[in-house]
Amino acid sequence: MQRRQGRVSAGLLLLLYQISQVGLENIPPVTLGVLAVNIFLFLNPVKPLSEACISVSEGFYRRDWQRLLLSPVHHADDWHLYYNMISMLWKGIMLEKKLKSLWFGYIVVVFSVLIGVVYMVLEFTLMKFLDDPSYEMNCAVGFSGVLFALKVLNNHYNPGRISNVLGLPIPSRYACWAELVAIHLIAPGTSFAGHLAGILVGLMYTTGPLKTIMKACAGI
């Protein structure tokens, strides 16, 4: 994977402009922190993308677990960063006000790691089911999996809305599934398993045991 980051570029400048239009004082602290970390690591990457992305081969077989932390906060290029962080900006403002900063920050950290684990499980399952070893080599990077999980939460806490997906009105409860399909029709090179992992983790929180487990671990 070739790194194209580490420099000021059009996508980054547009992102900074959008943030300035919202105003730093209007962005809750955890959301602002996530934006800052991703921008900082875009300009000052910890490792090359090939050493930060998560895959079955690198994450599971080689036990390179640090990739679970690195992969969500590294991006392939400035537009990858821009679209993810603009989405994070609006989802974060809505959800952090609803859930409060401490719990929202806890969610972002847990989701970031857990989505990487679910992603490897999905890729490993595909590899075994289709008998195709290429799936264990698929290496994902970026914050979009977390964003899909947050979209599930946002739709859960704000039911009854209508989302526009490729010009079609979609009830909010189905919007994440419609966007999953739409994104991979428009940009087939994106990580389907990574986005699906985000949806599944979001559902584990809203309808499954994850929220209860997280509260137990937090001592609530």
Side-chain angles (χ1 to χ4, degrees):
M1 300 178 71
Q2 182 180 2
R3 178 178 297 282
R4 289 184 288 172
Q5 61 230 67
R7 59 187 177 83
V8 177
S9 46
L12 177 58
L13 290 175
L14 184 57
L15 172 61
L16 295 175
Y17 171 75
Q18 296 280 10
I19 292 173
S20 70
Q21 290 296 102
V22 175
L24 296 181
E25 69 280 4
N26 297 317
I27 304 175
V30 172
T31 300
L32 185 60
V34 171
L35 297 174
V37 167
N38 279 272
I39 293 171
F40 176 82
L41 290 176
F42 175 78
L43 294 171
N44 303 277
V46 175
K47 291 188 175 184
L49 286 183
S50 60
E51 298 177 22
C53 62
I54 186 70
S55 68
V56 175
S57 175
E58 299 296 334
F60 181 69
Y61 290 152
R62 298 188 181 182
R63 301 292 193 272
D64 191 357
W65 303 120
Q66 65 177 334
R67 291 173 182 258
L68 291 172
L69 298 175
L70 295 177
S71 59
V73 291
H74 284 73
H75 289 82
D77 55 47
D78 57 320
W79 292 109
H80 188 203
L81 175 75
Y82 170 77
Y83 288 116
N84 277 354
M85 291 302 102
I86 285 297
S87 180
M88 177 62 200
L89 176 61
W90 299 115
K91 290 181 177 64
I93 289 174
M94 289 186 288
L95 283 172
E96 188 168 348
K97 290 179 179 178
K98 176 75 175 181
L99 301 173
K100 306 307 179 185
S101 294
L102 189 60
W103 187 256
F104 182 68
Y106 183 32
I107 284 174
V108 169
V109 172
V110 171
F111 281 15
S112 296
V113 175
L114 186 56
I115 286 167
V117 174
V118 174
Y119 167 78
M120 288 191 289
V121 171
L122 289 174
E123 292 284 18
F124 183 82
T125 302
L126 286 170
M127 179 190 69
K128 292 297 184 181
F129 183 74
L130 299 176
D131 194 24
D132 185 349
S134 67
Y135 284 100
E136 71 180 26
M137 306 301 294
N138 290 340
C139 215
V141 68
F143 207 71
S144 53
V146 179
L147 295 171
F148 266 88
L150 295 181
K151 177 177 287 292
V152 174
L153 266 65
N154 194 34
N155 292 338
H156 173 75
Y157 288 115
N158 299 281
R161 298 183 306 157
I162 299 295
S163 298
N164 188 296
V165 180
L166 295 182
L168 299 174
I170 304 292
S172 59
R173 63 184 301 182
Y174 304 118
C176 58
W177 297 105
E179 289 188 18
L180 176 67
V181 174
I183 285 175
H184 293 281
L185 290 175
I186 297 171
T190 54
S191 175
F192 183 88
H195 296 166
L196 177 58
I199 292 176
L200 295 178
V201 169
L203 292 174
M204 288 166 59
Y205 182 92
T206 57
T207 63
L210 181 56
K211 182 178 180 180
T212 301
I213 294 172
M214 287 174 62
K215 285 186 173 182
C217 292
I220 299 177

